[in-house]
């Protein structure tokens, strides 16, 4: 969807104040005819007759004039040959430009965007374009770079067009924000998304979707809730609904709006996409545990244990161990709330044995000591587990 909108905006940029002459229909090569004038200047010849008539015959006025004409015509003939050669070169260049146009058009229609960049670069370099035609061609190149994953070049193209005061109602701010997201520069992406809205970008809902996404990574959870809600109100495409609900579920949990978080997660768990998400069962269990709904929390931690939590990338298995530690700890706390002391002790001891999260290890050891000394029972447990999200 995003790619299609970009392509549409690129092929038909909105600019009612500027001429929209198609560059590929303009007669951009003109050969000016050369007018050759050969001026024959014949000096006055004074022939002195002598008694040597043979000499007079050989060097008479007609013969001298013919020699002058031949001499004068040497330069025009040289010019004619050069003109013929130049015309051939121009025709050859014209043919190459036409071939480049055809090739670029063909490749774009075939969605071979990266391959299309080369003929477009040739046209930008060799064609005699007007300022507006050059801008249109740069728009095409920027879209091709974006569509082929060359995000650094696409960002450069967006920046150049913005500097030329051609943001196209915020479109190139939006495109640049997507490039920044691909490069995981969420702060820059957020700034460009806000600029896109300020410049009147037409798809406000899509901007708000991406703002919520960026703020999730920036851990600005109050803004996540704000922009996700705006995206829904502005009529964001249905394909983004579950993503927005997911973002609101996590943000609500982080903002300690536990009942809201439970409602969002419950909606997600009714869908095929998230029905077996261990992460969501875990998040809902944490909210329920904080609200002292121990049985619901315990059941959700059981489901999370069944499906597993998402393992952190690049941890070589350590992420899986730490995820298990979080589950054991929180299930142990829920078991304490239900007075299931033996189950609680078993889970807390596993946390201590794994010892891969110092905060959880210390908390588990403290709870075990209190249980052993008899200074705590399940109903009195007030440990805050929301910090372990």
């Amino acid at each position: 969807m995003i790619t299609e909108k970009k392509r549409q905006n690129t092929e038909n940029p909105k600019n009612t104040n500027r001429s929209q002459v198609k560059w590929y229909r303009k007669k951009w090569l003109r050969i000016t005819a050369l007018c050759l004038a050969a001026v024959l200047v014949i000096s006055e010849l004074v022939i002195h007759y002598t008694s040597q008539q043979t000499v007079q015959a050989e060097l008479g006025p007609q013969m001298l004039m013919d020699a002058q004409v031949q001499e004068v015509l040497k330069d025009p003939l040289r010019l004619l040959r050069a003109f013929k050669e130049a015309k051939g070169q121009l025709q050859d260049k014209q043919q190459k430009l036409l071939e480049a146009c055809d090739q670029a058009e063909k490749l774009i229609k075939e969605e071979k965007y990266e391959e299309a960049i080369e003929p477009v670069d040739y046209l930008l370099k060799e064609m005699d374009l007007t300022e507006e035609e050059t801008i249109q061609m740069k728009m095409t190149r920027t879209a091709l770079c974006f569509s082929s994953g060359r995000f650094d070049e696409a960002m450069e193209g967006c920046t150049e067009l913005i500097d030329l005061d051609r943001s196209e109602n915020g479109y190139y701010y939006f495109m640049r924000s997507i490039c920044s997201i691909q490069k995981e520069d969420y702060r820059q992406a957020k700034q460009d998304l806000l600029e896109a809205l300020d410049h009147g970008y037409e798809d406000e809902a899509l901007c708000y979707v991406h703002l919520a996404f960026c703020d999730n990574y920036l851990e600005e959870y109050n803004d996540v809730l704000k922009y996700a809600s705006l995206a829904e109100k502005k009529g964001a495409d249905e394909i983004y609904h579950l993503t927005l609900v997911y973002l609101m579920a996590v943000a609500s949990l982080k903002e300690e709006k536990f009942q809201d978080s439970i409602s969002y997660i419950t909606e997600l768990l009714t869908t095929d996409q998230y029905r077996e998400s261990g992460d969501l069962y875990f998040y809902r269990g944490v909210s329920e545990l904080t609200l002292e709904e121990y049985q619901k929390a315990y059941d959700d931690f059981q489901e999370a244990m069944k499906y597993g939590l998402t393992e952190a990338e690049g941890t070589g298995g350590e992420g899986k161990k730490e995820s298990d530690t979080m589950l054991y700890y929180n299930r142990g706390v829920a078991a304490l709330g239900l007075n299931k002391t033996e189950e609680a002790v078993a889970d807390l001891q596993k946390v201590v044995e794994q010892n891969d999260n110092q905060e959880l290890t210390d908390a588990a050891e403290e709870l075990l000591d209190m249980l052993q000394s008899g200074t705590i029972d399940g109903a009195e447990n007030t440990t805050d587990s929301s910090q372990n999200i």
Side-chain angles (χ1 to χ4, degrees), residues 69-230:
V69 169
Q70 293 298 320
E71 184 65 29
V72 172
L73 285 176
K74 285 182 180 179
D75 286 338
L77 285 172
R78 189 180 298 113
L79 287 172
L80 284 169
R81 293 191 191 99
F83 171 71
K84 183 178 180 181
E85 183 179 348
K87 182 179 179 181
Q89 291 175 350
L90 287 172
Q91 289 175 337
D92 182 59
K93 180 178 179 180
Q94 183 181 27
Q95 183 61 35
K96 288 181 179 179
L97 290 170
L98 289 172
E99 289 174 357
C101 289
D102 291 340
Q103 183 185 17
E105 183 181 6
K106 177 177 179 292
L107 291 170
I108 291 172
K109 286 181 178 179
E110 294 175 354
E111 299 185 2
K112 296 178 180 179
Y113 302 122
E114 187 163 14
E115 294 178 38
I117 294 174
E118 183 177 351
V120 168
D121 281 341
Y122 176 79
L123 294 171
L124 270 169
K125 180 181 178 181
E126 300 296 337
M127 283 182 71
D128 183 18
L129 300 171
T130 66
E131 180 181 354
E132 177 61 24
E133 290 166 346
T134 300
I135 290 174
Q136 296 288 333
M137 190 72 78
K138 287 181 177 180
M139 288 177 171
T140 299
R141 189 186 192 282
T142 299
L144 291 173
C145 289
F146 180 87
S147 299
S148 58
R150 289 162 63 164
F151 297 113
D152 287 331
E153 292 178 67
M155 287 184 73
E156 290 174 5
C158 290
T159 300
E160 183 177 4
L161 290 165
I162 290 170
D163 290 343
L164 289 169
D165 197 27
R166 295 298 296 270
S167 71
E168 303 302 290
N169 296 325
Y171 175 75
Y172 286 103
Y173 282 108
F174 179 80
M175 182 184 284
R176 191 168 69 177
S177 78
I178 304 304
C179 293
S180 293
I181 289 173
Q182 293 294 330
K183 294 166 67 64
E184 300 183 5
D185 187 351
Y186 302 111
R187 181 64 62 190
Q188 180 61 52
K190 181 176 181 177
Q191 292 175 6
D192 277 335
L193 287 165
L194 293 173
E195 286 285 352
L197 288 168
D198 286 343
H199 283 78
Y201 185 60
E202 61 181 359
D203 198 340
E204 292 180 81
L206 191 57
C207 278
Y208 290 130
V209 169
H210 286 88
L211 279 167
F213 179 83
C214 290
D215 280 320
N216 178 68
Y217 281 95
L218 294 171
E219 299 184 1
E220 296 175 358
Y221 297 110
N222 194 49
D223 282 347
V224 171
L225 293 172
K226 177 177 72 174
Y227 291 128
S229 177
L230 282 170

Side-chain angles (χ1 to χ4, degrees), residues 5 12 29 36 50-51 54 93-94 102 106 108 139 164-165 173 232 237 249 265 324 333 346:
K5 288 191 177 182
N12 299 292
L29 287 176
L36 300 177
T50 65
S51 59
T54 56
K93 180 178 179 180
Q94 183 181 27
D102 291 340
K106 177 177 179 292
I108 291 172
M139 288 177 171
L164 289 169
D165 197 27
Y173 282 108
E232 294 275 59
D237 196 293
I265 293 172
D324 288 345
V333 173

Side-chain angles (χ1 to χ4, degrees), residues 200-305:
Y201 185 60
E202 61 181 359
D203 198 340
E204 292 180 81
L206 191 57
C207 278
Y208 290 130
V209 169
H210 286 88
L211 279 167
F213 179 83
C214 290
D215 280 320
N216 178 68
Y217 281 95
L218 294 171
E219 299 184 1
E220 296 175 358
Y221 297 110
N222 194 49
D223 282 347
V224 171
L225 293 172
K226 177 177 72 174
Y227 291 128
S229 177
L230 282 170
E232 294 275 59
K233 288 179 181 178
K234 292 293 183 178
D237 196 293
E238 182 65 24
I239 62 173
Y240 299 114
H241 175 67
L242 291 182
T243 298
L244 291 170
V245 174
Y246 194 105
L247 292 173
M248 288 190 287
V250 176
S252 296
L253 181 56
K254 293 290 187 178
E255 290 291 303
E256 299 185 2
K257 298 179 179 181
F258 301 114
Q259 197 59 60
D260 288 345
S261 181
I262 290 171
S263 297
Y264 290 132
I265 293 172
T266 300
E267 177 183 350
L268 292 170
L269 289 172
T270 61
T271 66
D272 292 336
Q273 182 175 344
Y274 292 108
R275 195 181 307 279
E276 298 181 357
S277 171
D279 290 340
L280 287 178
Y281 281 110
F282 175 74
Y283 294 150
R284 189 171 69 175
V286 169
S287 292
E288 291 162 341
L289 185 60
T290 307
L291 295 174
E292 298 183 4
E293 298 177 355
Y294 298 117
Q295 187 61 59
K296 291 181 179 179
Y298 186 86
D299 292 342
D300 276 340
F301 292 136
Q302 288 281 70
E303 290 297 305
M305 191 72 75

Side-chain angles (χ1 to χ4, degrees), residues 311-328:
E311 181 179 348
E313 294 182 8
T315 60
E318 292 302 314
K320 178 65 166 62
K321 287 181 60 180
E322 187 169 348
S323 296
D324 288 345
T325 300
M326 293 171 62
L327 276 171
Y328 284 129

